[in-house]
Amino acid sequence: MLIVPGPASKELAARVATKLPAPVCPVDSKYFPDGESYVRIAGEVRGDKVAIIQSTYPPQDKHLIELFALLSAAKDMGAKFAIAVVPYLAYARQDKRFEEGEPITARTILQMIETAGADCLITVNVHKEDSLRWLKIPYHNVCCMGAMGNYLRQLNPRIPLVLAPDRGALELAQRMAKTMDAESNFLEKTRNRETGNVMTVEKDLGVKGRDVVIVDDVISTGSSVSNAAKICKRQGAAKTLVACAHALLANSSRERLKEAGVDSIVGTDTIPSDLSRVTVSDLIAEVLRKYV
Ligand code: R5P
């Protein structure tokens, strides 16, 4: 198997290649002066299985086009099996028609990945695993909550509570709590679809003097986790940590989290940044080994 690093995930691809282990196939990439993307697989892939690793964090549309182009190039050059490794799958949250006239963008993206030539998809904590049912190819939704829980456990949190900022994240919180040997709980949240404003209902969490880990799949504006953090602080929590699979952290979300009293943010390398404290490379390598 060859690892083909997409421009968005060069470091993660190198980690996966080392752990598998597998050789890395060089890729050239650039933007044309008009903004169009260029990629080139600069190695031999004929007759090989390839794993194209390309996360689709912002700029999502450019990263998606690069993914489609690499899949298409690999198949044109004779790769016998192409695995699309898309650690953060953009548009996954538009997984239904919330309002009449809207597209189901998650479905369209998955169909495009398949049409571009993917024979299999590997992703990490996709917003809702059920949305992957639109694929006709095999898929794997890897969960990084155990890896994050192991990291957080080493920080020796004080009588930790793992808190989901909404009901949808409760399963993630439970998985992380299991690894940390901690309790879990959740809050009720509603989002106004027009304004994007998030409302969270306060309830007694019993967090006085305890450390809280607020966990979500994605942090975008930071509204969901900052509402939860404010509730924890009001109720006397000691430290408030935030952990998420995909730290998009749009606009001024870091400041919002700071103002809400968040002490630290832990992310993964699905989106490379100074917050990527946990790597998903072992989890991806483990799935890829099934295809070697
Ligand atoms: C939504 O259900 C997701 O799981 C996240 O809770 C949401 O995307 C986080 O967005 P924000 O950071 O803008 O509140």
Side-chain angles (χ1 to χ4, degrees):
M1 177 177 289
L2 288 171
I3 300 296
V4 179
S9 299
K10 289 181 191 164
E11 292 85 5
L12 174 58
R15 282 180 207 123
V16 172
T18 305
K19 283 172 183 167
L20 207 55
V24 173
C25 177
V27 168
D28 296 338
S29 66
K30 64 181 177 186
Y31 292 137
F32 287 108
D34 59 4
E36 289 184 357
S37 305
Y38 170 92
V39 289
R40 174 175 171 257
I41 297 180
E44 182 59 63
V45 296
R46 183 161 302 281
D48 270 316
K49 290 179 184 168
V50 294
I52 296 166
I53 305 188
Q54 169 83 344
S55 209
T56 55
Y57 56 86
Q60 295 90 334
D61 301 358
K62 280 203 184 303
H63 288 155
L64 280 166
I65 287 288
E66 289 165 345
L67 169 67
F68 303 148
L70 285 170
L71 281 165
S72 165
K75 285 315 231 357
D76 286 349
M77 289 169 69
K80 73 169 180 210
F81 195 83
I83 304 174
V85 182
V86 191
Y88 170 65
L89 186 65
Y91 294 102
R93 285 169 292 170
Q94 184 69 32
D95 58 355
K96 63 179 179 191
R97 217 182 306 286
F98 296 93
E99 302 277 351
E100 190 54 26
E102 285 180 358
I104 304 172
T105 322
R107 182 184 63 193
T108 308
I109 295 296
L110 291 169
Q111 288 167 341
M112 289 168 88
I113 290 173
E114 205 169 319
T115 305
D119 297 297
C120 170
L121 173 82
I122 300 175
T123 187
V124 178
N125 288 106
V126 68
H127 181 57
K128 281 197 193 121
E129 182 162 319
D130 188 49
S131 57
L132 299 178
R133 73 184 185 283
W134 285 306
L135 286 168
K136 293 191 190 81
I137 54 174
Y139 59 82
H140 305 265
N141 177 33
V142 166
C143 179
C144 68
M145 291 300 132
M148 297 200 93
N150 283 333
Y151 172 85
L152 288 157
R153 196 185 178 133
Q154 284 166 22
L155 304 180
N156 292 318
R158 192 165 182 274
I159 334 166
L161 174 77
V162 183
L163 180 65
D166 56 37
R167 206 178 266 271
L170 178 59
E171 200 184 323
L172 303 182
Q174 287 169 335
R175 287 188 193 185
M176 179 179 279
K178 200 170 169 201
T179 313
M180 295 175 69
D181 209 6
E183 281 180 19
S184 58
N185 206 335
F186 72 100
L187 292 165
E188 293 285 358
K189 173 191 105 177
T190 48
R191 186 188 296 269
N192 181 315
R193 291 205 63 80
E194 256 174 49
T195 62
N197 289 341
V198 171
M199 279 268 303
T200 307
V201 182
E202 182 155 359
K203 71 178 187 190
D204 185 14
L205 294 167
V207 289
K208 197 168 175 26
R210 297 171 67 182
D211 290 345
V212 182
V213 179
I214 303 168
V215 64
D216 212 343
D217 58 334
V218 171
I219 298 177
S220 179
T221 64
S223 306
S224 307
V225 288
S226 61
N227 280 6
K230 282 181 200 159
I231 290 172
C232 294
K233 284 287 167 192
R234 266 202 298 276
Q235 296 188 13
K239 270 199 210 128
T240 306
L241 308 164
V242 163
C244 70
H246 314 295
L248 288 169
L249 293 167
N251 307 325
S252 51
S253 51
R254 283 197 195 214
E255 288 74 55
R256 178 173 280 139
L257 295 185
K258 211 171 160 192
E259 280 163 21
V262 170
D263 296 286
S264 158
I265 310 168
V266 178
T268 75
D269 52 1
T270 65
I271 300 179
S273 81
D274 57 318
L275 303 174
S276 306
R277 307 213 200 284
V278 176
T279 182
V280 296
S281 54
D282 300 279
L283 298 165
I284 291 171
E286 200 179 315
V287 181
L288 286 177
R289 267 182 218 116
K290 296 182 185 156
Y291 289 91
V292 168

